[in-house]
Amino acid sequence: MTGQDTAARYSWGGDEHIFVELAESMSLQANFRAMAITTLLKQERPDGILEICPANASYQVRYDPDVLEPRTLLAQLQDIEKRVGDASDFQLSTRVVEIPVLYQDPWTTETLMRFRDRHQDPDATDIEYAARINGLSGVDEFIETHSSSPWFTSMVGFVAGLPFMFQMVPRERQLVVPKYLRPRTDTPKQTVGHGGCFGCIYSVRGAGGYQMFGVTPAPIYDPSQELPDFGDFMVFCRPGDIVKFAPITREQYDDHVKEVEAGTFRIRTREVDFGLKSYLDDSDAFNARLLEVLRAD
């Protein structure tokens, strides 16, 4: 099975961490195994576990060695890995999340024009370049391709609250776009970007190297926890979230910004169970059923 070509590798990180690499390359299958293992670990959580962090094709555990003996933890993790297997029977309780996007917005457009000397194609915008190298007819087809399929949040990190997302289509249909030749020193907050096979949303303004396609009015990081979507935690996105991008107009974008400023904006979400086997059996049919959940009242 793709994503499980080699046995897991366990590495110690100082006295408090153990890092587990499940595969050398990212795939939905490898990431789903990481989700399954860390979910089971959270459910069984032995005394001494401090943090559990799933990633693209790996996970890391922070523990207290004064409470939990390292070799005991290693044995528990290896046992969970064996029980999970290829995770084909695992059902992940997660969310379908709709993220509105103003594609080709003025802010990322202005930013990308300042950094054309760092780009593979100085004469094109990022989205024009992405459309061309993916064999699409132009920007409109690219936006349709980018927004019509769901994206699986494989991990959250790099900077606080930034989700990495893997397009839920067969590999031969995935959008693939290289990062900038040299990173930018500026990226607008809430930019929707792409690098390699990963989509992302920049949670804060700062440096970055991913191609920029648009911007969302939806905050995904609120350290003050004043907005209604952040009552439980300052970071909105969770590993395992299934994201659907929804193209919006400038007028709709401005309306959403006013809602954010008024403290009334909510990201549209629905609870859902996701099973890898059902998805792999017929991904297009599965995605169609999955996205119907967002349209339910």
Side-chain angles (χ1 to χ4, degrees):
M1 183 183 78
T2 303
Q4 194 183 1
D5 300 325
T6 59
R9 293 193 297 186
Y10 294 79
S11 305
W12 302 105
D15 296 329
E16 296 184 347
H17 296 85
I18 185 168
F19 175 73
V20 185
E21 185 180 15
L22 298 172
E24 293 184 354
S25 61
M26 168 60 192
S27 69
L28 190 58
Q29 294 94 322
N31 182 251
F32 202 66
R33 287 190 75 219
M35 295 292 181
I37 291 169
T38 54
T39 297
L40 191 55
L41 181 61
K42 289 174 185 177
Q43 292 171 353
E44 300 180 357
R45 198 175 190 123
D47 290 342
I49 295 289
L50 302 177
E51 294 178 84
I52 303 168
C53 182
N56 290 327
S58 62
Y59 68 95
Q60 183 165 277
V61 177
R62 179 174 173 240
Y63 63 96
D64 183 347
D66 292 329
V67 176
L68 181 57
E69 201 279 323
R71 295 293 169 182
T72 300
L73 173 59
L74 175 62
Q76 290 173 325
L77 297 181
Q78 290 172 329
D79 176 65
I80 290 176
E81 179 197 353
K82 183 178 179 180
R83 283 186 280 149
V84 165
D86 64 4
S88 59
D89 296 327
F90 177 66
Q91 291 287 318
L92 179 68
S93 295
T94 186
R95 307 180 294 181
V96 182
V97 176
E98 184 175 79
I99 298 294
V101 181
L102 177 61
Y103 289 92
Q104 301 188 97
D105 66 281
W107 305 284
T108 60
T109 299
E110 185 277 331
T111 301
L112 67 87
M113 294 307 295
R114 285 193 278 121
F115 293 96
R116 297 330 281 164
D117 63 319
R118 306 180 184 212
H119 197 272
Q120 294 88 343
D121 188 349
D123 297 325
T125 64
D126 290 7
I127 200 167
E128 290 169 342
Y129 169 70
R132 177 173 59 80
I133 67 169
N134 280 278
L136 302 175
S137 60
V139 169
D140 290 344
E141 187 179 2
F142 182 88
I143 293 173
E144 169 63 23
T145 302
H146 187 266
S147 63
S148 62
S149 62
W151 296 71
F152 192 84
T153 303
S154 56
M155 64 174 286
V156 178
F158 178 68
V159 295
L162 184 150
F164 288 85
M165 295 170 288
F166 194 71
Q167 193 175 17
M168 293 173 60
V169 295
R171 188 176 291 270
E172 65 273 12
R173 286 163 46 194
Q174 287 178 345
L175 295 169
V176 178
V177 190
K179 295 188 290 184
Y180 274 44
L181 297 174
R182 290 183 292 126
R184 300 177 303 274
T185 56
D186 190 24
T187 307
K189 180 176 68 173
Q190 293 159 210
T191 290
V192 175
H194 197 103
C197 66
F198 288 107
C200 82
I201 304 171
Y202 284 82
S203 52
V204 296
R205 183 176 182 178
Y210 278 21
Q211 308 286 335
M212 298 182 291
F213 300 151
V215 69
T216 177
I220 60 168
Y221 177 58
D222 179 17
S224 65
Q225 293 184 252
E226 295 177 349
L227 295 171
D229 283 325
F230 298 87
D232 296 329
F233 195 46
M234 67 181 67
V235 170
F236 177 80
C237 298
R238 310 170 188 168
D241 277 349
I242 298 171
V243 174
K244 170 66 169 63
F245 294 114
I248 59 173
T249 65
R250 175 60 189 271
E251 183 178 6
Q252 290 172 312
Y253 176 89
D254 291 341
D255 288 343
H256 287 322
V257 169
K258 291 177 183 176
E259 292 172 354
V260 172
E261 293 171 347
T264 60
F265 180 83
R266 298 299 301 266
I267 296 175
R268 185 176 177 84
T269 64
R270 292 291 186 271
E271 301 296 320
V272 69
D273 288 333
F274 175 64
L276 185 63
K277 184 178 185 304
S278 298
Y279 167 77
L280 293 175
D281 286 345
D282 189 340
S283 60
D284 289 336
F286 184 91
N287 287 344
R289 293 193 301 270
L290 188 67
L291 297 181
E292 282 295 324
V293 174
L294 278 173
R295 289 185 272 274
D297 293 330

